Amino acid sequence: MPAATPPRRSAFAEGLDQVRTAATTEPGRLRLIGAVLALLIVAFGAVTAWQMTDRAAAADDVLHRSQPLSSGAADIYRSLADANTAASSGFLAGGQETAASRTRYESDIQTAAAKLVTAAAASEPGSPSEAAVAKLNKLLPEYKGLVERARVYNRQGYPVGGAYLRYANEKMQQEMLPAAEDLYKKENARLSSDYSDATPYPWAAIALGVLALAALAWAQLRHYRRTNRLLNHGLVAASAATVITLLWLVVGHSLARAGLDGSYDHGVRSLNVLHDARIASLKARGNENLSLVARGAETITVGDKTYDAYYYDFDKDMAALGKGLAQASALADDSAGSKPVQAAEGNMKVWKERHADARSDDENGDYQAALDKVIGAKGATGECFDSVDANLKTALAHEETEFRARATDGRDAMTGLPIGAAMLGVAAASGALFGIGRRLSEYR
């Protein structure tokens, strides 16, 4: 009976045997050490380049994509709410609608349309953001048509104009603004995601850097014990390049993280609060106007009490405005940021006092006196609203500048790190191989 043929060994097993055989001699051990050192150093450089490329790209997205898109979504909401307010103000003026009121309405509509084009271009196909943008693009011309009908009937003195304006307001409040708010939330979520991608420490790269340094230190200690020579120039150069890369990685990313965290804490958070406060003021102004347009036709029952629906919503909006201004004041970290917020708080206080007088006249049947105190040329609540809006716009511009400065610092701290780490990794690996090669040459 013929002897059984032994199973063929795998290439891996044969290679492992060759490594074991080589490791029995000093030249073989040196070659193995050189290969391991080069592999560790190259892996360190490659992982550092990869992780920092991702973080730098995310930081750039924070600065140039997600935050501008988040602010753009807030501008869409603000423009729509302001257009609704301008439409109601113009309606209250009747045939004496001012050119400024009409221009403001048209400007807001154009701004919203332009921002929607930008948002559509940046939305991924099939995403919730794309759906929100598509919905707003469909509703915007419908809203404009209702407003124009309300204006036509109002100029002709037909009461049905008020019904059309209230219908336009319902479309804005119940469909358009919720869609704009949803878009704003989606863009804010994208911004938060980019921050999450940009700020985590590159632990894999750091761990490989420490491991490569430890391996280099062990190799140099072994070299000293076997040759009694203090330094191996190649290994020293490799260690220096690895230390530089590791320090650059840790310090550079720490500075980038500090800048990005600062841009969020002292920029994005304040911007979000200020956007919300500005929107609350716009909604309050719109409800204040519509309360006079409706003349008590819209009511709401809460518990066992019945309220004018627009006055009820006005009170809620003013409470939200006050809360937002208080938060913005607490977040402001310099006088340039706090002064306009404090000024807006003062404007809001006067607004509430004037509104109370106008509401009292309206409830007592003196409609014309109430109208004069809301849209009059002097001493009206409209002046207070305009001042609140202007001060919030100033505060937003300041916080936007703060955000951009800190986010730019964070992004710039990572400039050159990916390619620098890759180049230093190659240099360090070459140094290690050179150092081991010098030792091998002594055995020839």
Side-chain angles (χ1 to χ4, degrees):
M1 183 174 181
T5 304
R8 185 176 179 180
R9 303 187 66 202
S10 66
F12 175 78
E14 291 180 357
L16 192 60
D17 282 346
Q18 291 176 3
V19 170
R20 287 173 179 167
T21 302
T24 59
T25 65
E26 182 60 13
R29 286 192 286 268
L30 287 173
R31 291 188 183 93
L32 185 60
I33 290 170
V36 171
L37 289 177
L39 180 63
L40 281 174
I41 294 168
V42 168
F44 169 48
V47 171
T48 299
W50 164 55
Q51 290 194 309
M52 296 313 298
T53 295
D54 285 349
R55 282 158 178 75
D60 194 68
D61 283 343
V62 165
L63 182 60
H64 290 127
R65 189 193 67 165
S66 50
Q67 196 282 325
L69 287 172
S70 175
S71 289
D75 285 340
I76 290 171
Y77 194 115
R78 187 206 65 79
S79 296
L80 292 173
D82 194 53
N84 201 43
T85 298
S88 60
S89 295
F91 185 92
L92 286 174
Q96 289 76 43
E97 180 180 4
T98 63
S101 175
R102 179 74 181 185
T103 300
R104 181 169 184 168
Y105 168 81
E106 294 293 346
S107 176
D108 285 331
I109 292 296
Q110 290 173 9
T111 299
K115 295 286 185 180
L116 283 171
V117 170
T118 302
S123 299
E124 297 179 0
S127 67
S129 294
E130 184 187 48
V133 171
K135 182 177 181 179
L136 286 168
N137 277 324
K138 175 178 177 292
L139 292 172
L140 189 57
E142 295 177 9
Y143 171 80
K144 288 175 63 181
L146 290 170
V147 171
E148 290 307 317
R149 286 188 181 184
R151 280 189 169 131
V152 169
Y153 286 123
N154 190 42
R155 283 195 296 268
Q156 295 173 355
Y158 296 142
V160 72
Y164 271 107
L165 189 67
R166 292 197 300 274
Y167 185 32
N169 178 69
E170 286 180 9
K171 186 172 288 291
M172 177 65 75
Q173 298 290 344
Q174 297 177 13
E175 297 182 67
M176 297 177 71
L177 291 183
E181 183 179 13
D182 184 57
L183 178 63
Y184 178 49
K185 289 179 178 178
K186 294 293 189 301
E187 296 302 343
N188 263 351
R190 188 193 302 200
L191 175 60
S192 297
S193 176
D194 285 338
Y195 268 109
S196 297
D197 290 340
T199 54
Y201 273 105
W203 292 116
I206 292 173
L208 279 171
V210 171
L211 185 61
L213 272 180
L216 284 165
W218 172 82
Q220 288 176 89
L221 180 62
R222 182 180 186 279
H223 169 76
Y224 171 70
R225 287 175 173 172
R226 289 180 176 271
T227 65
N228 216 26
R229 296 170 190 164
L230 187 59
L231 298 175
N232 177 296
H233 293 151
L235 294 178
V236 169
S239 299
T242 304
V243 167
I244 291 171
T245 305
L246 188 58
L247 286 176
W248 190 3
L249 171 64
V250 173
V251 174
H253 187 269
S254 295
L255 291 174
R257 182 187 176 100
L260 290 169
D261 285 345
S263 73
Y264 186 85
D265 292 336
H266 303 289
V268 172
R269 289 179 63 196
S270 293
L271 286 169
N272 289 342
V273 169
L274 288 167
H275 280 308
D276 290 343
R278 197 177 188 192
I279 288 167
S281 73
L282 288 162
K283 292 171 71 174
R285 180 59 178 172
N287 283 314
E288 184 178 47
N289 289 341
L290 286 163
S291 66
L292 296 179
V293 173
R295 298 194 182 190
E298 301 287 341
T299 60
I300 184 172
T301 301
V302 180
D304 57 351
K305 293 185 178 181
T306 301
Y307 302 91
D308 180 291
Y310 297 113
Y311 280 146
Y312 183 83
D313 286 341
F314 171 86
D315 291 336
K316 289 199 304 180
D317 295 332
M318 291 300 279
L321 173 60
K323 181 180 178 181
L325 291 175
Q327 290 177 335
S329 183
L331 289 171
D333 56 354
D334 56 20
S335 60
S338 61
K339 282 182 179 179
V341 175
Q342 291 168 1
E345 288 178 312
N347 301 144
M348 182 189 68
K349 182 179 179 182
V350 178
W351 184 1
K352 292 170 73 173
E353 292 170 355
R354 292 182 181 180
H355 172 80
D357 290 341
R359 184 186 291 194
S360 178
D361 288 336
D362 184 34
E363 291 173 346
N364 290 327
D366 195 345
Y367 177 79
Q368 188 59 48
L371 187 63
D372 291 340
K373 290 178 180 178
V374 172
I375 65 168
K378 187 176 181 180
T381 59
E383 291 180 344
C384 301
F385 162 71
D386 288 338
S387 296
V388 168
D389 193 64
N391 280 309
L392 286 175
K393 184 177 180 181
T394 300
L396 280 164
H398 171 73
E399 296 301 335
E400 183 77 26
T401 301
E402 288 281 293
F403 161 79
R404 294 193 70 82
R406 294 173 186 264
T408 299
D409 289 343
R411 183 204 59 182
D412 289 350
M414 290 185 274
T415 299
L417 215 168
I419 189 169
M423 293 176 67
L424 284 170
V426 171
S430 299
L433 291 175
F434 175 77
I436 295 298
R438 291 293 300 271
R439 281 282 293 122
L440 280 171
S441 66
E442 297 172 4
Y443 289 90
R444 293 170 187 166

